[in-house]
Amino acid sequence: MIRRPALLFFALLALVSFSALSVACGGGGSDDDDDSEPKDRDRDGIRDSRDDCDRDKEDEGIWGSDPEDGCPATIADLVELARADVDEFWAGQFAFEKMTYDPPIKFKAYETEIETDCGKALLNNAFYCGADHSIYYDLNFLRDELDSNGDFGPVLIIAHEWGHLVQSLLGILDDDTLLTIQTELQADCLAGVWAADADARGLMEKGDFEEGITALFRVGDPRDTPFFDPQAHGTPGQRIDAFNDGWEAGLDACALD
């Protein structure tokens, strides 16, 4: 269920105080008694007889829903599934608020360093570029996250970068009084808002939430990173808490106040 608190987007535009830097920060399908009916016990639209990713008949959610075999065949397939769902979610939020929503002009994968309107796209990275309203991601970086941490790791990276796109549309990224760490933690919170909605719609599989927490733990800043560092994203604890705030409390929890 999409959470839609009153004036939620206007709340996001409020300035954050320095105290906010310490922000705290489906079940499996049942068997059908009629054996003549084709089974789809993980409810991904692929009958069990040809589903190569049924996870022992547990609900595998959207991230295992390739139309041919029930699995994302490639990292590109997984990324596309995530892109479509995150985009649709935020488009719905903006439509509800009667605000204009602009999807990214480009959603571009790269495997070698490339030039963008925001400078060189580095390897092992993903980022939103406000100069051309686009999201860029190193496909091998997401592939490594998939292989080492599970399918929700790369999905969460995409959701985080989409959080920056949302901030741009709301004018938050134009506020030069905000520190990088503030907008980064808010992007984690916004990713949590989307993830909770995806879970409520039955798209999350068992273990996805934990994979997201692991991904955030791995990319958190060292504890001695100054909060005013222009590259600061937040410690592992801050990033996990920000994501969990969005998951538990919705958009209100992401407001900068």
Side-chain angles (χ1 to χ4, degrees), residues 211-225:
E211 290 172 5
I213 295 303
T214 299
L216 291 170
F217 182 84
R218 289 165 45 161
V219 299
D221 296 332
R223 293 189 178 276
D224 59 353
T225 302

Side-chain angles (χ1 to χ4, degrees), residues 50-65:
R50 61 184 182 87
D51 192 338
D52 294 336
C53 282
D54 59 15
R55 297 290 185 91
D56 296 325
K57 312 310 177 188
E58 292 178 356
D59 185 0
E60 65 195 38
I62 191 174
W63 320 124
S65 57

